[in-house]
Amino acid sequence: MSTIAFFGAVELGLVYAFVAIGVYLSFRVLDFPDLTVDGSFPLGAAVTAVALVAGWNPWLACAAAMIAGALAGFATAFVSVRFRILHLLASILTMIALFSINLRIMGRPNIALLNQETVLSPFYGLGLADHLVRPLFLACVVAVVAMLVAAFLKSDLGLAMRATGANPRMARAQGVSIGLQVMAGVALSNALVALSGSLFAQTNGFADVTSGLGTIVVGLAAVIVGETLVPRRSIALAIAACVIGSVLYRLAVQLALNLDVLGLQASDLNLATALLVLLTLVLPRFRKGAAAA
């Protein structure tokens, strides 16, 4: 693997770290299987692209993307809670609707951002190579967001949200509004996913309506890899595991695609993803079996 390919994989892993944290919130904290992320990721990219082309400040574009993602997540949770529709079905309905909404927002299937100011623009020309600027910038943003999410989950509101996912009956008996917590948590989850889509568009120079395909699989893979390698002894470690898992997952996929022995091509990305997730799920079971023996 070349140096450029290595840092490219790290960069992509850091971009998708926000997806991993969002998926962790919905799947692990709230126990709410949510496929909305496949639509909220390109939603964040679409809103950002349109805002940047219109001359918005890049950070305001990121904020607008997060608000749009939060609204998408809220819609899913509201439909599920208010009308008692199955989580997966509600999220699938929102995901399908977002495909058309994203097309409406962009007005066409994709938008190029190569000549637009982005959040990265001020950091170019400081003496660092471009392939180093992007991962360093993303690492800083991921660290800040991870600390904020960890602090939130340790707050009273965060504890109520964690109680909602762990034991809804007990949480309700303690006066926690279960429906409100679910809606807030899924909204926050998709806001983070939309932020990932926003940064993806800005680091890659384009927004595409199909860029969200398989996002949920990538997020789950990152969470599973991180949980397998990093013991979940605290909330901070659990969030860190999501980030580490996202980066390692991308590095593993990049390594697999670069190994001539395996004969994999770029079109085999989904196959490599499925095999990696399967391997990550199976290995702990073999370890437990060996320990029991």
Side-chain angles (χ1 to χ4, degrees), residues 241-267:
C242 295
V243 177
I244 294 170
S246 180
V247 174
L248 291 180
Y249 159 75
R250 280 296 169 184
L251 286 172
V253 170
Q254 187 65 39
L255 181 62
L257 293 176
N258 278 272
L259 285 178
D260 296 333
V261 177
L262 297 179
L264 295 177
Q265 302 175 2
S267 58

Side-chain angles (χ1 to χ4, degrees), residues 24-104:
Y24 171 79
L25 286 175
S26 58
F27 273 80
R28 291 289 188 252
V29 175
L30 285 172
D31 192 24
F32 189 104
D34 182 25
L35 299 183
T36 311
V37 297
D38 275 23
S40 56
F41 183 89
L43 174 64
V47 170
T48 297
V50 171
L52 292 179
V53 171
W56 284 35
N57 179 283
W59 291 106
L60 286 178
C62 289
M66 292 185 70
I67 292 172
L71 290 174
F74 176 82
T76 294
F78 179 81
V79 169
S80 177
V81 172
R82 179 66 178 81
F83 302 107
R84 299 184 182 277
I85 295 176
L86 186 67
H87 310 126
L88 288 174
L89 180 57
S91 61
I92 288 172
L93 292 174
T94 306
M95 177 186 66
I96 293 173
L98 283 174
F99 184 85
S100 296
I101 292 173
N102 293 337
L103 276 174
R104 280 290 189 121

Side-chain angles (χ1 to χ4, degrees), residues 2-18 119-120 123-124 128-144 199 202-204 243 247 250-251:
S2 66
T3 302
I4 300 295
F6 173 82
F7 283 107
V10 171
E11 174 190 330
L12 201 54
L14 290 171
V15 168
Y16 278 93
F18 300 101
V119 291
L120 288 159
F123 301 98
Y124 291 127
L128 286 175
D130 290 356
H131 67 271
L132 293 177
V133 171
R134 291 190 293 270
L136 287 174
F137 170 81
L138 290 169
C140 293
V141 178
V142 168
V144 171
L199 293 173
Q202 295 184 66
T203 54
N204 287 272
V243 177
V247 174
R250 280 296 169 184
L251 286 172

Side-chain angles (χ1 to χ4, degrees), residues 49-250:
V50 171
L52 292 179
V53 171
W56 284 35
N57 179 283
W59 291 106
L60 286 178
C62 289
M66 292 185 70
I67 292 172
L71 290 174
F74 176 82
T76 294
F78 179 81
V79 169
S80 177
V81 172
R82 179 66 178 81
F83 302 107
R84 299 184 182 277
I85 295 176
L86 186 67
H87 310 126
L88 288 174
L89 180 57
S91 61
I92 288 172
L93 292 174
T94 306
M95 177 186 66
I96 293 173
L98 283 174
F99 184 85
S100 296
I101 292 173
N102 293 337
L103 276 174
R104 280 290 189 121
I105 291 173
M106 292 196 296
R108 50 187 185 274
N110 53 70
I111 296 177
L113 299 174
L114 296 177
N115 297 319
Q116 303 296 328
E117 285 286 322
T118 68
V119 291
L120 288 159
S121 297
F123 301 98
Y124 291 127
L126 297 179
L128 286 175
D130 290 356
H131 67 271
L132 293 177
V133 171
R134 291 190 293 270
L136 287 174
F137 170 81
L138 290 169
C140 293
V141 178
V142 168
V144 171
V145 171
M147 288 188 291
L148 289 175
V149 172
F152 167 75
L153 290 177
K154 292 179 182 178
S155 66
D156 290 342
L157 183 58
L159 288 172
M161 191 174 291
R162 290 159 60 188
T164 298
N167 193 328
R169 290 186 179 181
M170 182 274 292
R172 186 180 291 107
Q174 296 298 318
V176 176
S177 176
I178 302 300
L180 184 61
Q181 291 297 328
V182 170
M183 287 185 281
V186 178
L188 176 59
S189 169
N190 283 276
L192 292 172
V193 175
L195 174 60
S196 180
S198 174
L199 293 173
F200 178 86
Q202 295 184 66
T203 54
N204 287 272
F206 71 93
D208 192 281
V209 73
T210 62
S211 60
L213 185 63
T215 301
I216 184 62
V217 177
V218 175
L220 281 173
V223 172
I224 293 170
V225 170
E227 289 179 346
T228 303
L229 299 177
V230 181
R232 291 178 295 166
R233 296 178 180 175
S234 67
I235 289 297
L237 279 176
I239 300 298
C242 295
V243 177
I244 294 170
S246 180
V247 174
L248 291 180
Y249 159 75
R250 280 296 169 184

Side-chain angles (χ1 to χ4, degrees), residues 258-283:
N258 278 272
L259 285 178
D260 296 333
V261 177
L262 297 179
L264 295 177
Q265 302 175 2
S267 58
D268 298 322
L269 177 60
N270 287 340
L271 174 61
T273 297
L275 292 176
L276 179 60
V277 174
L278 179 62
L279 182 64
T280 308
L281 289 171
V282 170
L283 279 180

